[in-house]
Structure formats: C-alpha cells, structure tokens
Amino acid sequence: MLLAIDVGNTHTVFGVWNGSAWSHTWRRTTSVETTEDELGAWLFAMFQLANLPFQIEGAISGSVVPGVNESLARLCERHLGTPLTFLRTGAEVGLPVTYDPPHAVGADRIANAVGALARFAPPIIVVDFGTATTFDTIDGTGTYVGGSILPGLQVSAQALFGRTAKLPMVEFRAPETAIGRNTVAALQSGIMLGYAGAVDRLAHEIQGELGGSATIVSTGGLGHIFVELCPLIRHHLPDLTLEGLRIAYGRLNA
C-alpha cells in the first residue's frame, strides 16, 4: 500500500492506495504544532477503524507548509518504517514548467498537473478549491505555464462575517434563486453565485489565452459544489491531487 499526504494550508489529506484504488482517505487540520507521535496515534486509529493493517510499502507528500514536513517524515520513519518522499518540483517528475521561477510552483499544483495529464489530453485547466482557489494551467504541449490564485470561498466569507455584526454564518450551498427573500438566502446568492461567476470568468479568460479550448476540471474540498454552478467546469475529481502524488511517487522511485 502507498500512503499519499497532501498538505494544504488549512487541511491535510491522507490517502491509502491499495494498488487499484484509493481505498480510504482522511482529512485533518494542518498544524505545525502536531508531533509525529500525535500523528502516529491518530493515523493508527484511522487504520483500525478502516480495518487496515498499520503498514505501508511507501509514502509520498506534497506539502505547501514546510513547518510540518519534519514531523511527517518522522511519522513515516518511526511509526510506519518507511522513508517519506517529498514532491518538490515539476522537473523531477518530467513536467515542464515555465512559471517564473519554476520552483515557486507549489507541490500540490505540480501534483494536480501530473494527475490531470494522466487523465486528459492538454490543454487543461485545474481549478482547486482550497484555502485559495488556484487555476493550474497546462498548455497544449503539456507544459505547466502558470495560472491564477483567487482568495478561497471560506476565506472570503469569513472576512465578510468577521466584519459585519448582524450577518450570520451560512451553509455553503447553491440558492434556489438569485433574489434572496431573507438574509440567509441573500448571503447564499451573493457568496455562491458571485463566487461561481468569478471562477467562470477566470476560467473563460484563461481558456481564451490557451486558444479557445481546454478541458476544465475541479478538485478540492468545495469543488463538488461548483461543478454544478460553473458551466465551464466539465469534471470533478476529488482525489486528483492524491492521484498526482501517486504517479509522482512511481516516477521518483523508478
């Protein structure tokens, strides 16, 4: 079994690949204060709940939070008996990158591109809904050329709620109508439909710069909502980043 660890600014996703599918995935809050032993106890419990033996054959991480990397590496070495491989650049896994500078592209974005290219012919736009919503752009030659970074939906909504005394927190779901007949419905209209409009506009502009056609896919925690709200998004792949990490592991250990 392979353990893939996708470390984001807000959440870390752990996925177990059993050789043919992602048999189990778990999400926990990213914290630089968590030790390898605390992670080990938590992960052991997750394996037990899933009726999995607490052993793996390899491990890979794509991390955008350097402060957690040492604890993750010690977790794998001390509790799982295997070294942790880190995905760091596109060059090491055969992905051409023309972003300036190339090493500034986050490991999660590299993994998204690798996973998407294994599934679709380029050009491709990957919209990853996380702490920030990122647009990863792969041109027709299969080169990672850049993209766009939009403040994430939760970050944007929390900024609004934190600065307004009377506006309540609302569930992130699509409203029935654009005209909200009460405060909750009005907030859901503005937040959800407004954000979907921003995503579609950026995707449209990027698609035009790629020549007018590209496969547009979503991933990330809230991606499943926006595949219904954004007409340009054709596919939602919740495990795309993990899939990219899995492919990267094979290339890094070939």
Side-chain angles (χ1 to χ4, degrees):
M1 293 192 298
L2 174 70
L3 177 67
I5 309 172
D6 171 25
V7 183
N9 287 293
T10 303
H11 293 110
T12 298
V13 177
F14 292 74
V16 172
W17 177 261
N18 64 13
S20 59
W22 294 101
S23 61
H24 294 84
T25 60
W26 306 284
R27 181 183 298 265
R28 63 171 289 139
T29 301
T30 300
S31 172
V32 297
E33 304 298 328
T34 306
T35 69
E36 67 272 18
D37 295 325
E38 291 169 328
L39 287 169
W42 170 81
L43 191 60
F44 179 74
M46 295 300 101
F47 272 61
Q48 280 194 315
L49 288 172
N51 292 316
L52 293 175
F54 194 54
Q55 57 187 38
I56 57 172
E57 297 170 358
I60 183 169
S61 176
S63 172
V64 299
V65 185
V68 307
N69 292 354
E70 188 174 347
S71 291
L72 288 173
R74 289 198 297 255
L75 160 71
C76 291
E77 292 170 1
R78 178 178 297 180
H79 296 292
L80 291 166
T82 187
L84 177 60
T85 299
F86 285 95
L87 172 61
R88 302 189 187 278
T89 69
E92 63 187 4
V93 291
L95 176 70
V97 176
T98 58
Y99 198 78
D100 185 21
H103 65 263
V105 182
D108 55 341
R109 305 183 77 177
I110 295 296
N112 285 343
V114 170
L117 282 166
R119 185 80 175 264
F120 305 104
I124 308 165
I125 303 168
V126 178
V127 187
D128 190 344
F129 291 86
T131 306
T133 295
T134 57
F135 294 71
D136 301 316
T137 306
I138 303 105
D139 71 10
T141 70
T143 299
Y144 185 101
V145 295
S148 182
I149 302 174
L150 178 69
L153 177 66
Q154 290 176 311
V155 170
S156 301
Q158 287 167 357
L160 172 64
F161 299 137
R163 290 177 176 269
T164 52
K166 290 188 175 182
L167 293 182
M169 292 285 289
V170 297
E171 181 184 358
F172 291 139
R173 66 178 180 85
E176 294 181 1
T177 61
I179 300 174
R181 306 295 181 181
N182 54 59
T183 302
V184 170
L187 281 168
Q188 287 176 329
S189 171
I191 292 171
M192 303 303 294
L193 297 183
Y195 201 82
V199 169
D200 256 357
R201 175 61 187 271
L202 279 168
H204 173 76
E205 294 293 330
I206 294 171
Q207 188 176 55
E209 293 175 15
L210 288 173
S213 66
T215 300
I216 304 176
V217 302
S218 69
T219 192
L222 294 172
H224 67 284
I225 298 174
F226 287 93
V227 74
E228 302 294 335
L229 293 176
C230 299
L232 290 180
I233 297 176
R234 300 298 184 188
H235 309 275
H236 175 62
L237 303 174
D239 296 328
L240 179 63
T241 312
L242 294 178
E243 186 66 13
L245 288 173
R246 180 186 70 80
I247 296 168
Y249 181 84
R251 295 177 183 178
L252 290 168
N253 292 277

